[in-house]
Amino acid sequence: MRRLALVGLVAGCASLAPEYEQPETGLPASYPGETAGQLETIPADWWKLYNDPGLNELVASAQERNADIWLAAARVREALAIAREAGAARTPEVILVASGTRSRVSGEVVPAPAPGVPLEREL
């Protein structure tokens, strides 16, 4: 019985699969279509590649009307800041004050301080 269990254990650990060999893969020296140090740039007027007069008209219109986009954005930021400033009166205001004093009675006064009375006091 023990031998049967031992044979079953050894047979269960043995692999019948063939040994795996990784196939050779040849990699190209560079990416196809790309030469070293030479990348294509997108032209600034890329929409003209479509040869669509409607698209050209829309882009020209947008460029004319958006000349002051930075000024408009600054005005929006200014309006938001003014609104925050006006709404600041509705928020709670917290004031914190801390103070402390310390006094010392001189030992050279006449009459002299009573024995047992501290010369320094914190109020």
Side-chain angles (χ1 to χ4, degrees), residues 28-55:
S30 66
Y31 190 75
E34 179 184 329
T35 57
Q38 188 180 28
L39 297 176
E40 291 185 27
T41 58
I42 298 173
D45 54 353
W46 57 268
W47 63 90
K48 291 184 180 177
L49 297 173
Y50 293 110
N51 294 325
D52 184 7
L55 180 60

Side-chain angles (χ1 to χ4, degrees), residues 3 8 21 24 26 31 38 46 51 55 69 76 79 89 98-99 103 107 116:
R3 285 186 180 177
E21 292 181 20
E24 289 283 328
Y31 190 75
Q38 188 180 28
W46 57 268
N51 294 325
L55 180 60
I69 192 75
V76 169
S99 67
S103 64

Side-chain angles (χ1 to χ4, degrees), residues 3-4 34-35 38 41 53-55 57 62 68 77 85-86 92 97 102 106 113-114:
R3 285 186 180 177
L4 185 60
E34 179 184 329
T35 57
Q38 188 180 28
T41 58
L55 180 60
E57 202 174 300
D68 296 330
R77 286 193 302 270
E85 183 181 1
V97 177
R102 187 174 187 179
S106 174

Side-chain angles (χ1 to χ4, degrees), residues 81-108:
I82 290 170
R84 279 195 308 269
E85 183 181 1
R90 292 184 299 216
T91 59
E93 187 173 327
V94 178
I95 299 174
L96 179 65
V97 177
S99 67
T101 59
R102 187 174 187 179
S103 64
R104 178 177 169 87
V105 178
S106 174
E108 305 296 321

